[in-house]
């Protein structure tokens, strides 16, 4: 049985990504079906928003047809000022590799 975070809640279009491993400056993220690994450049200031506003934007992402995983990464981890790679669109907002299962 998958962890509760990986189950789509009632009324939500998509499951949110889930950090499977988070240690220091490295995280492994579960990318649910429907999220894409490409996006237009994102404003690094999104990471500066208060937690409540970032959570609202994450919720809005779950309603999109193909939300970019980079936006979720920036909203989830970009608030940490030491996360310069996550805040840098030229570095794909910290996305460095993807593994497909199946």
């Amino acid at each position: 049985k998958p962890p509760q975070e990986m189950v789509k809640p009632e009324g939500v279009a998509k499951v949110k990504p889930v950090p499977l491993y988070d240690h220091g400056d490295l995280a492994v993220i579960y990318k649910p079906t429907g999220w894409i690994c490409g996006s237009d450049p994102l404003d690094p200031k999104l990471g500066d928003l208060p937690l409540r506003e970032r959570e609202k934007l994450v919720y809005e992402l779950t309603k999109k047809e193909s939300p970019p995983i980079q936006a979720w990464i920036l909203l989830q981890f970009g608030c940490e000022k030491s996360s310069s790679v996550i805040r840098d669109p030229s570095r794909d907002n910290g996305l460095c590799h993807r593994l497909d299962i199946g």
Side-chain angles (χ1 to χ4, degrees):
K1 184 176 177 182
Q4 190 62 33
E5 296 86 15
M6 294 180 171
V7 177
K8 184 171 82 75
E10 188 76 26
V12 174
K14 291 189 176 34
V15 175
K16 292 186 294 185
V18 177
L20 299 176
Y21 175 81
D22 184 0
H23 181 74
D25 61 353
L26 174 69
V28 175
I29 308 297
Y30 166 70
K31 183 190 78 64
T33 301
W35 289 76
I36 60 170
C37 291
S39 72
D40 295 328
L42 301 167
D43 184 352
K45 292 179 184 168
L46 288 173
D48 296 331
L49 294 173
L51 177 61
R52 183 70 103 193
E53 289 181 47
R54 287 184 287 122
E55 287 173 341
K56 183 179 177 185
L57 289 172
V58 167
Y59 175 76
E60 294 300 319
L61 283 173
T62 66
K63 294 181 183 178
K64 291 187 173 193
E65 185 175 332
S66 299
I69 189 80
Q70 288 91 331
W72 181 87
I73 291 170
L74 179 59
L75 292 167
Q76 183 74 21
F77 298 105
C79 60
E80 301 171 23
K81 298 297 181 191
S82 63
S83 301
S84 60
V85 172
I86 290 171
R87 299 171 68 84
D88 186 351
S90 72
R91 296 169 116 184
D92 214 8
N93 296 99
L95 185 65
C96 65
H97 196 273
R98 83 179 234 195
L99 302 172
D100 289 326
I101 299 173

